Amino acid sequence: MEERRSAAASGDICVIVPTIREYECLREYVANAREHGFDVSRLHFVLVTEDFCDVDEMRAMLDDLDVSGEVFDGSRREEWYEANGVAEYGHVVPAASHAETSFGLLYMWADDAFEYGIFIDDDTLPHDDADYFGRHMENLAFGGEIERVSSDEDWVNVLYQNADEHGLYPRGYPYSAMDETVETDAVDVASGEVVASQGLWTNVPDLDAVRILMDGDLEGQAQTRTTADDFGEDFVAARGNYLTVCSMNLAFRREVIPAFYQLPMDDNEWDVGRFDDIWSGLFLKRAADVLGKRIYNGGPLCEHNKAPRSTFDDLANEVAGLELNEHVWEVVDGAGEDADSFEAVFAAMADALAEGDFDEWNNGAFLNHCGEYMRDWLDCLDALARTPAVADD
């Protein structure tokens, strides 16, 4: 079956979905778009999967939905690297890892028809009462007054609004920044300042394994669940304050791609995993602060239906990076102070990581490894920008 060709034909929004099992969730997202009158021709779906998955069925689904899209298993990604003249950089996207979302960013960067990207995890569903894609686009175009959140720990818990009731902190939130004092006020945001829209989640909260165990759940989910009532007004984190950025429900402008690399998790000699989107969010927030930009948080909510799995398996995947997660934000904070682009801020953060001495922390050399890969990421983007577009068949 021939795949529907790239968005250059029509769409300006690249929807990136890492998936090995639950790709049928896209039917609900497309139905939501049509129900709410969103122009589906703007959407181009990129499913990032593996050779052992049923690629033909995924392609058939896109055809049945009558939407633009492509499916990339490992073999087809290799072909894409070759065709686009970046085979030497194939290592920047790890195999069999959620961080394969970085391939979607490369795909976007190679086609300047894409103005926006959206990450959707395959274990999520849109809420029927909200225009999922329309709301994300409204957030990215937002201008006006919005709640601003900060804390005395320089960290914002994106679940802060009902934290007195549920006591939850999301995956990636440093343990050392807990029990913070939260402050809120209002800030005027100019149209064009918002570069990313982070939608939050109902049902299974996005927690790390330690917090899931503390919540008494051995199946990788949580006994405590979230509902729409746990979320109030949309908000931004104050400049100089960090927050967790989860890529399960996230829209962004093309311009942030150089500073939004999903790091080489899982496929590394230190066995560090599960922090790809978390650390990319630190980079993005630092760059946004330097450049006077904002990350918008709140709606559209998605329903997170994380499948049961061993909490201890998740813990094994996370423990190698837990100490590093307490400090990565401190390493990049202050980097690129005088930079004037996302590329320049990211290059400064890459240098800070690649050249730093982190021997005092468990697996500190992994941060040097990340810094080198971040440099390769920028080189890969530069190579894609210089490669002529691949001709249509």
Side-chain angles (χ1 to χ4, degrees):
M1 179 184 297
E2 290 295 322
E3 288 181 274
R4 294 173 176 273
R5 213 206 130 245
S6 117
S10 59
D12 62 332
I13 304 170
C14 185
V15 184
I16 301 161
V17 185
T19 183
I20 58 173
R21 285 183 299 269
E22 306 295 338
Y23 55 87
E24 292 276 348
C25 73
L26 285 193
R27 294 187 182 276
E28 297 295 330
Y29 282 97
V30 173
N32 176 278
R34 289 181 168 137
E35 178 182 349
H36 290 280
F38 189 84
D39 183 0
V40 177
S41 71
R42 295 183 64 187
L43 305 174
H44 179 77
F45 293 89
V46 175
L47 277 63
V48 186
T49 188
E50 301 298 337
D51 288 344
F52 58 80
C53 296
D54 200 337
V55 172
D56 288 341
E57 285 297 322
M58 295 181 190
R59 290 172 178 159
M61 178 189 67
L62 295 175
D63 189 60
D64 182 55
L65 289 171
D66 193 27
V67 294
S68 175
E70 296 189 72
V71 182
F72 287 90
D73 57 17
S75 298
R76 187 135 190 269
R77 289 195 293 276
E78 294 300 322
E79 294 171 2
W80 188 91
Y81 295 139
E82 289 284 351
N84 286 274
V86 292
E88 66 182 292
Y89 298 109
H91 62 279
V92 300
V93 180
S97 169
H98 184 270
E100 285 174 345
T101 45
S102 280
F103 175 79
L105 299 180
L106 295 179
Y107 181 94
M108 277 186 65
W109 196 252
D111 187 342
D112 59 12
F114 293 120
E115 297 181 28
Y116 308 100
I118 297 180
F119 286 145
I120 294 176
D121 274 6
D122 69 356
D123 59 358
T124 67
L125 294 172
H127 283 220
D128 293 338
D129 61 352
D131 178 0
Y132 179 82
F133 295 105
R135 179 64 181 277
H136 269 310
M137 292 300 105
E138 289 174 7
N139 293 350
L140 291 174
F142 178 81
E145 188 175 270
I146 191 171
E147 184 168 74
R148 175 172 55 186
V149 188
S150 62
S151 86
D152 59 344
E153 297 288 351
D154 295 330
W155 267 86
V156 170
N157 176 2
V158 297
L159 300 176
Y160 80 94
Q161 288 164 325
N162 204 21
D164 288 344
E165 293 295 324
H166 56 59
L168 298 176
Y169 286 91
R171 176 176 57 90
Y173 191 98
Y175 293 98
S176 58
M178 293 170 62
D179 299 320
E180 75 283 12
T181 298
V182 177
E183 296 184 1
T184 64
D185 61 5
V187 65
D188 285 320
V189 172
S191 180
E193 275 189 45
V194 175
V195 293
S197 165
Q198 177 175 210
L200 300 175
W201 3 267
T202 61
N203 195 27
V204 181
D206 183 36
L207 309 181
D208 65 27
V210 173
R211 291 181 170 109
I212 293 171
L213 289 172
M214 293 297 293
D215 196 44
D217 194 303
L218 303 184
E219 295 189 329
Q221 299 175 321
Q223 295 296 307
T224 303
R225 301 298 174 95
T226 55
T227 70
D229 292 338
D230 289 310
F231 303 98
E233 296 297 317
D234 296 346
F235 62 93
V236 297
R239 303 208 193 282
N241 277 242
Y242 289 87
L243 75 166
T244 57
V245 173
C246 170
S247 65
M248 79 167 76
N249 174 17
L250 184 78
F252 53 92
R253 293 181 182 271
R254 174 188 182 85
E255 65 189 276
V256 308
I257 289 176
F260 204 35
Y261 173 44
Q262 314 289 293
L263 287 167
M265 297 288 159
D266 305 301
D267 187 19
N268 61 77
E269 65 181 271
W270 300 269
D271 295 324
V272 178
R274 299 268 292 160
F275 293 102
D276 46 311
D277 50 353
I278 298 300
W279 292 359
S280 74
L282 300 179
F283 304 149
L284 180 60
K285 183 58 164 66
R286 172 60 188 164
D289 284 359
V290 169
L291 301 172
K293 304 295 185 179
R294 298 283 187 181
I295 300 174
Y296 188 109
N297 307 277
L301 300 176
C302 73
E303 180 183 307
H304 183 209
N305 301 310
K306 184 180 178 183
R309 65 192 189 209
S310 169
T311 309
F312 296 100
D313 284 349
D314 275 356
L315 180 62
N317 290 331
E318 293 169 0
V319 69
L322 283 177
E323 183 176 14
L324 299 180
N325 187 62
E326 296 292 315
H327 301 289
V328 173
W329 70 280
E330 298 169 333
V331 176
V332 301
D333 192 49
E337 188 68 46
D338 299 322
D340 59 1
S341 68
F342 283 96
E343 293 93 332
V345 182
F346 194 72
M349 292 186 283
D351 290 346
L353 288 167
E355 299 169 10
D357 181 358
F358 310 118
D359 288 345
E360 64 183 294
W361 303 328
N362 288 322
N363 299 318
F366 178 67
L367 296 185
N368 304 123
H369 175 75
C370 287
E372 295 294 346
Y373 271 54
M374 290 162 69
R375 289 168 168 172
D376 289 347
W377 173 253
L378 291 176
D379 289 343
C380 183
L381 295 180
D382 185 56
L384 283 172
R386 291 184 282 107
T387 302
V390 179
D392 294 339
D393 293 334

